[in-house]
Amino acid sequence: MIGSALGRRSVLAGMAALGIARTAHAQSPMGMARGPVAPTWPSLVSQYRYPDWFRDAKLGLWSHWGPQSVPEQGDWYGRFLYMQGHPMYEHHLKTYGHPTGTGMMDILNRWTADRWEPEALMQRYVKAGAKYFMALGCHHDNLDCYDSRYHEWNSLRVGPKKDIVGTWEKVARNAGLKFGISNHAAHAWHWYQTGYGYDPTGPRKGERYDAFRRTKADGRGTWWEGLDPQRLYTGGHMVAPDGIDSIAAMNEWHDKNDGQWVEHGPANDPGYVTRWLLRQIDMVEKYKPDLVYFDDYELPFGPVGLQAVADYYNRSIEWHGKIDVVVTAKQLKPYARFGLVQDVERGFTDHLWEEPWQTDTCIGDWFYNVARLNDRSYKTAEDVLQRLADVVSKNGNLLLSIPQPGDGSIDSEEEKILDGMAAWMQVNDAAIFGSRPWRVYGEGPTKLVAGMQNEGSFAGFTPRDVRFTVNKGALYALFLKAPRGSVSIESLGTRHWRDGVVERVTLLGGGTIRHRRDAAGLHLDMPASDAIVPVIRIDGGGIA
């Protein structure tokens, strides 16, 4: 069923009906790998197969770490510091100075990574169950966190003066993990436009921020000598007009213009898209990642995104003799199914998927926010393991971010969360790694709403919420909240599972569980326990 030929043929037929061509849409730039995969959706769909390693891995950990972690204020600091009235603007004004003279480029150089211990962190991640590791390659702040050939604003010239991605790659592979890189840079050109704005009110009213003012010549004799700020800030593509005189009006202007999430490039700078492609190809060629994460709805820049994926797949054939890599993207349309892996950011699905997929989430904010530590608002180990069980039961993987401050450490609460995950894995990992979905994903009263970015409205699971996996001939039932006393699993009754025979029920980390079975369900006498996400193993006949 998984990634079935029938489903793939249906997608290809649908493409033909829509007139989606099988030929390339654009000329391939020099440096692209040659091979059988063409930069078209039909070529991707017809040739791609989901790697077994990804289907087995189930859990990845992500270092979503870069210069926006330095202020310890959370996500999108590089955009919000330029929006008067925003808490990040107020923090920046108080801590670093007015954004007319001190902006995001100055924050880049404050990224020190002076307490970063990648080997020790990787050991924690492996104990917590990670089978693959993701490094942040470049976020919307447009700093390449690697030895970038085509972009001078990179972590070897600015900030830590280190190849962050390259170091993570070596450490992850030495630990036996698959390695991935995330690329968010396609959105930098519109995301950064607030830096070309100004205060609409107050004593600095109308004075343009540093992105508008700084030139390469201004860097003589400074730490950024030889670097062009316009290459970082991407140029003034949608500059707020003069004369806006209220914060509300300025916010409205940005929301309607540069605040839209678009997948095309700037009309007045086609070179931006070309440079993005060169940077992406360079990153893939240097580090040979097993997985590439695009922070995009489908692919960035239309045919150029297709060129990037075709290049990557063809390189994989050179490296492995087959396409043995993964590209994730979001909001895939039907014609893109089976050509990529769909990612569901901070969201849920309400059904068992035919093909493998991934959800990505974070225990706090994507970039480190010290408020999460101070108010104890991180996801708990139980929250994480509940999500893992739910996602795996529906044929998915979980990619989990553990935010790091600018110095590269993790805080004490994050250590506790990872330790809690590690303790659970020592007992229950057989229910996760290498498993496959059962005939139904589970049961219970909690109804999840499918979609992205909807975690905030989730009220929590109950002891009656159960998820199923199958591994090496055994059926596993994962209770998302620990039940006490007598409990029944309706899906395992003879009314629903007629061909199944239950011979033995065992609590992982415990002992044999007394059980009986009838049409209404499998009835268990569970011991009193405060364990998080307890798991039972069911042995018998007709399970697979």
Side-chain angles (χ1 to χ4, degrees), residues 6 59 71 78 97 104 169 183 205 207 266 288 296 306 317-318 354 365 404 427 435 469 478 503 532:
L6 178 61
L59 176 64
M104 187 60 203
E169 186 264 339
N183 187 343
K205 177 179 179 179
E207 295 182 38
K288 296 181 173 61
D296 297 272
L306 286 167
I317 294 171
E318 292 177 2
E354 180 181 358
D365 294 1
Q404 298 160 255
V427 175
S435 70
T469 63
L478 299 90
E503 297 174 353
I532 59 175

Side-chain angles (χ1 to χ4, degrees), residues 248-422:
M250 181 66 82
N251 289 341
E252 183 180 5
W253 190 92
H254 284 303
D255 286 344
K256 289 182 178 179
N257 291 275
D258 53 75
Q260 299 299 305
W261 194 258
V262 296
E263 299 300 350
H264 59 76
N268 58 348
D269 184 12
Y272 180 84
V273 175
T274 301
R275 289 190 296 274
W276 176 90
L277 180 58
L278 290 171
R279 289 159 68 186
Q280 169 64 23
I281 291 174
D282 179 45
M283 187 169 63
V284 164
E285 184 178 23
K286 276 189 172 75
Y287 304 107
K288 296 181 173 61
D290 303 291
L291 187 149
V292 168
Y293 172 110
F294 286 132
D295 192 5
D296 297 272
Y297 293 174
E298 282 193 4
L299 292 174
F301 310 131
V304 174
L306 286 167
Q307 289 177 344
V309 177
D311 170 82
Y312 183 39
Y313 285 177
N314 284 325
R315 289 183 191 277
S316 177
I317 294 171
E318 292 177 2
W319 303 334
H320 308 295
K322 61 181 178 178
I323 302 175
D324 199 40
V325 296
V326 169
V327 173
T328 69
K330 303 167 187 177
Q331 304 282 25
L332 300 186
K333 296 182 179 66
Y335 59 74
R337 283 186 64 194
F338 304 108
L340 308 173
V341 169
Q342 183 154 192
D343 181 87
V344 180
E345 181 179 346
R346 285 195 184 273
F348 300 97
T349 184
D350 58 359
H351 64 279
L352 171 57
W353 285 39
E354 180 181 358
E355 70 269 29
W357 60 284
Q358 176 181 270
T359 189
D360 65 293
T361 190
C362 183
I363 62 170
D365 294 1
W366 288 119
F367 285 106
Y368 190 84
N369 187 348
V370 70
R372 294 284 193 171
L373 171 65
N374 294 335
D375 63 17
R376 301 294 191 267
S377 60
Y378 286 129
K379 288 181 175 66
T380 64
E382 181 178 38
D383 295 333
V384 171
L385 294 166
Q386 288 173 339
R387 289 297 301 279
L388 178 65
D390 178 65
V391 168
V392 170
S393 74
K394 297 170 181 174
N395 204 30
N397 286 19
L398 173 64
L399 177 62
L400 178 71
S401 174
I402 307 294
Q404 298 160 255
D407 64 17
S409 62
I410 60 173
D411 64 44
S412 59
E413 288 300 308
E414 292 175 308
E415 290 177 347
K416 290 178 183 177
I417 293 164
L418 289 168
D419 289 346
M421 294 172 61

Side-chain angles (χ1 to χ4, degrees), residues 39-241:
T40 67
W41 284 114
S43 183
L44 265 58
V45 169
S46 64
Q47 299 193 61
Y48 187 66
R49 298 295 182 270
Y50 301 100
D52 286 338
W53 72 257
F54 182 75
R55 296 183 63 199
D56 291 341
K58 307 304 182 187
L59 176 64
L61 287 188
W62 190 0
S63 175
H64 192 285
W65 178 50
Q68 289 179 84
S69 300
V70 171
E72 300 185 359
Q73 298 296 299
D75 301 338
W76 283 27
Y77 189 89
R79 178 172 172 84
F80 293 144
L81 78 88
Y82 296 111
M83 299 181 72
Q84 189 180 26
H86 194 281
M88 292 187 189
Y89 170 97
E90 300 299 335
H91 175 86
H92 192 84
L93 189 66
K94 178 181 178 181
T95 309
Y96 306 112
H98 196 272
T100 54
T102 304
M104 187 60 203
M105 60 180 278
D106 302 285
I107 301 299
L108 304 184
N109 207 43
R110 290 174 174 266
W111 183 25
T112 63
D114 57 322
R115 295 182 61 203
W116 180 38
E117 298 180 352
E119 292 87 356
L121 288 172
M122 198 64 64
Q123 290 175 11
R124 278 191 175 273
Y125 300 155
V126 169
K127 289 180 181 178
K131 302 302 181 187
Y132 57 103
F133 177 84
M134 179 81 66
L136 177 70
C138 182
H139 203 256
H140 313 321
D141 56 42
N142 209 27
L143 182 78
D144 284 351
C145 302
Y146 60 93
D147 185 11
S148 183
R149 179 180 178 185
Y150 297 102
H151 190 50
E152 63 268 29
W153 288 91
N154 64 70
S155 62
L156 279 82
R157 297 190 63 176
V158 177
K161 307 294 196 301
K162 297 175 182 177
D163 185 350
I164 302 297
V165 169
T167 302
W168 277 131
E169 186 264 339
K170 290 183 179 65
V171 172
R173 295 202 193 281
N174 286 342
L177 302 189
K178 296 291 186 177
F179 177 71
I181 308 175
S182 66
N183 187 343
H184 313 246
H187 295 284
W189 73 270
H190 63 88
W191 186 87
Y192 252 145
Q193 293 304 295
T194 57
Y196 292 84
Y198 55 88
D199 287 1
T201 65
R204 307 294 290 270
K205 177 179 179 179
E207 295 182 38
R208 295 281 176 175
Y209 299 141
D210 76 308
F212 186 90
R213 302 156 71 96
R214 282 170 156 170
T215 67
K216 185 175 182 178
D218 297 330
R220 292 194 188 98
T222 72
W223 63 266
W224 50 280
E225 184 170 4
L227 300 177
D228 184 354
Q230 296 310 307
R231 282 291 196 202
L232 175 71
Y233 291 128
T234 77
H237 306 296
M238 290 180 281
V239 177

